[in-house]
Amino acid sequence: MENKYFNRMKELTELQAISGHEDQVRKYMEEKMTPLVDSIESFGLGNIFGVRETRVDDAPTIMVASHMDEVGFMVSRIHENGSISVVPVGGWNPYVISGQRYTLQTSKGDYPIISSAVSPHLLRGKSLETLSAQDIRFDAGFESAEEATEYGVRPGDSIVPLTEAILSANKQNMITKAVDNRYGCAVILDALENLHETELKHKLVIGATVQEEVGLRGVRGAVHKYNPDLFFAVDCSPAADGEGDKKAEGQLGQGFLLRMQDPGMLTHRGMVEFLRDTAESHKIPYQYYFSKGGTDAGAAHMENEGIPSCVIGLPARYIHGHQSLFRISDYAAASELLTIIIRDFDRTTLNTILGK
């Protein structure tokens, strides 16, 4: 992985920004995007988008969106002994929450905090009950609720996983948190840099949304505001090949994910054919994907008068936790595809997708 791309993913994934608290990523995206677009705007709930204009008359508008938020927790109660109860923000497997390090973000500063894990010695002779996130206490070492309050802890404060991004031993994979969806933020910046001097044959609206992990909330206002002809989500999805099942959905090393369907969207047929034809003509590896979870495309395609939408996906193992693992070649495939789409798109392409 080229150093600048590793460094970008390292910077992005180590930022800490759960749904509703995306400031760190928004500031990063604004800094990197501003010199690469004609205008930039943050609005509404906190979405940020840049616009590249075109000199072509009657040009279509395409919208490309990542999302900035990651999964985490919100303080719901401070107990008398200073420990903290939480509610999850986004989807979590409760069995990966315990015994991990996090950052507690407050108005007075950020503090280290860990999730409790009962020592096995104390579990002898006891039956294990079904676990939920609300059952797990978080501990920042405060001696009382009063002390926690003095340090600025309040209900609603965010708790975010704390990890370091690294390469695997064979240098073929990257291990880090928040690949869902700092991957999308990264490939958007790749494309803007690659095409900075290229004249486009369409108006490009490109950027990142908020609150995707809690119900695809940010994208609706963005799509209404910019009224694109087509919508492209760039997002990460779970790879299920970790135990070696070659038939599982999402295989590392097989290219980007061409999403066919998820609970909220049947991908527009013209968009499927467009992505497939573009990938095949440029020898970019891809794999079909039928998802159990949604993306911003699921909300975007139902806005305005109905917007043909699709997802350029990245498979990653163990997402929505402290550590995810993705194959660098899959990232490269998605990045190349997005650059080519933006570079070559025009009115004829749109008409072909729409069957006109």
Side-chain angles (χ1 to χ4, degrees):
M1 193 174 196
E2 294 183 39
N3 284 339
K4 74 171 184 176
Y5 297 131
F6 170 78
N7 290 339
R8 172 168 291 156
M9 279 295 286
K10 180 177 175 65
E11 289 172 353
L12 276 165
T13 57
E14 290 181 358
L15 294 175
Q16 296 178 299
I18 69 168
S19 307
H21 298 263
E22 295 93 349
D23 296 11
Q24 289 186 21
V25 180
R26 182 167 46 250
K27 181 179 179 181
Y28 182 97
M29 294 297 287
E30 181 175 15
E31 176 186 339
K32 301 299 183 183
M33 289 172 60
T34 295
L36 304 174
V37 295
D38 297 318
S39 60
I40 197 162
E41 186 174 13
S42 182
F43 57 90
L45 297 177
N47 300 316
I48 186 165
F49 280 89
V51 177
R52 286 268 322 259
E53 302 289 353
T54 180
R55 298 178 184 178
V56 175
D57 293 333
D58 191 33
T61 297
I62 67 171
M63 189 171 191
V64 180
S66 174
H67 67 84
M68 294 178 276
D69 55 322
E70 64 186 289
V71 297
F73 301 93
M74 183 178 290
V75 175
S76 62
R77 182 183 175 189
I78 307 168
H79 297 275
E80 289 185 6
N81 69 345
S83 66
I84 291 169
S85 288
V86 303
V87 294
V89 177
W92 279 90
N93 173 352
Y95 290 95
V96 305
I97 299 171
S98 293
Q100 301 286 350
R101 185 179 296 182
Y102 300 80
T103 298
L104 170 61
Q105 299 175 322
T106 80
S107 61
K108 290 188 176 181
D110 293 351
Y111 310 121
I113 189 169
I114 60 174
S115 51
S116 64
V118 178
S119 300
H121 316 70
L122 303 179
L123 291 174
R124 289 172 183 163
K126 296 183 179 180
S127 61
L128 296 179
E129 299 179 355
T130 302
L131 187 69
S132 72
Q134 287 86 341
D135 297 325
I136 300 170
R137 295 281 185 97
F138 282 68
D139 191 343
F142 298 121
E143 295 186 359
S144 64
E146 289 75 15
E147 184 182 36
T149 300
E150 289 172 4
Y151 275 83
V153 184
R154 299 288 188 276
D157 287 343
S158 59
I159 296 176
V160 196
L162 177 63
T163 60
E164 178 187 4
I166 58 174
L167 289 173
S168 62
N170 61 10
K171 312 300 183 186
Q172 302 302 306
N173 310 283
M174 189 169 178
I175 302 168
T176 186
K177 73 168 179 66
V179 180
D180 179 13
N181 186 30
R182 307 294 159 68
Y183 138 74
C185 295
V187 296
I188 279 173
L189 295 177
D190 293 349
L192 285 174
E193 288 182 352
N194 293 339
L195 301 172
H196 182 44
E197 303 297 332
T198 303
E199 290 286 338
L200 301 182
K201 291 162 280 191
H202 57 89
K203 180 178 178 178
L204 174 65
V205 178
I206 189 166
T209 65
V210 297
Q211 298 191 36
E212 190 270 356
E213 296 290 3
V214 290
L216 317 179
R217 296 173 184 174
V219 71
R220 291 178 170 87
V223 168
H224 181 72
K225 177 180 178 65
Y226 292 111
N227 194 28
D229 294 291
L230 296 179
F231 180 90
F232 296 84
V234 278
D235 207 341
C236 178
S237 296
D241 67 340
E243 296 183 0
D245 183 355
K246 296 296 185 182
K247 296 181 179 180
E249 291 285 341
Q251 298 281 326
L252 297 196
Q254 299 301 309
F256 76 90
L257 300 178
L258 176 50
R259 179 178 296 233
M260 303 297 290
Q261 173 269 349
D262 64 42
M265 184 184 74
L266 300 175
T267 304
H268 185 276
R269 193 64 189 173
M271 294 289 266
V272 171
E273 293 175 357
F274 169 62
L275 290 186
R276 182 170 53 211
D277 291 348
T278 302
E280 290 180 355
S281 63
H282 292 87
K283 296 181 171 53
I284 300 172
Y286 70 92
Q287 53 190 305
Y288 294 110
Y289 193 73
F290 296 81
S291 180
K292 295 179 176 64
T295 73
D296 276 340
H301 86 289
M302 295 188 292
E303 293 298 313
N304 302 346
E305 297 178 0
I307 302 169
S309 302
C310 66
V311 183
I312 300 172
L314 176 76
R317 294 174 183 163
Y318 327 122
I319 67 171
H320 284 214
H322 270 69
Q323 308 290 347
S324 300
L325 185 148
F326 70 92
R327 187 68 49 84
I328 293 164
S329 61
D330 297 331
Y331 173 101
S335 183
E336 181 183 4
L337 179 73
L338 181 61
T339 293
I340 291 170
I341 288 172
I342 295 173
R343 183 192 68 194
D344 295 345
F345 201 91
D346 59 13
R347 172 64 65 178
T348 300
T349 309
L350 175 62
N351 288 342
T352 300
I353 290 172
L354 299 181
K356 293 184 177 180

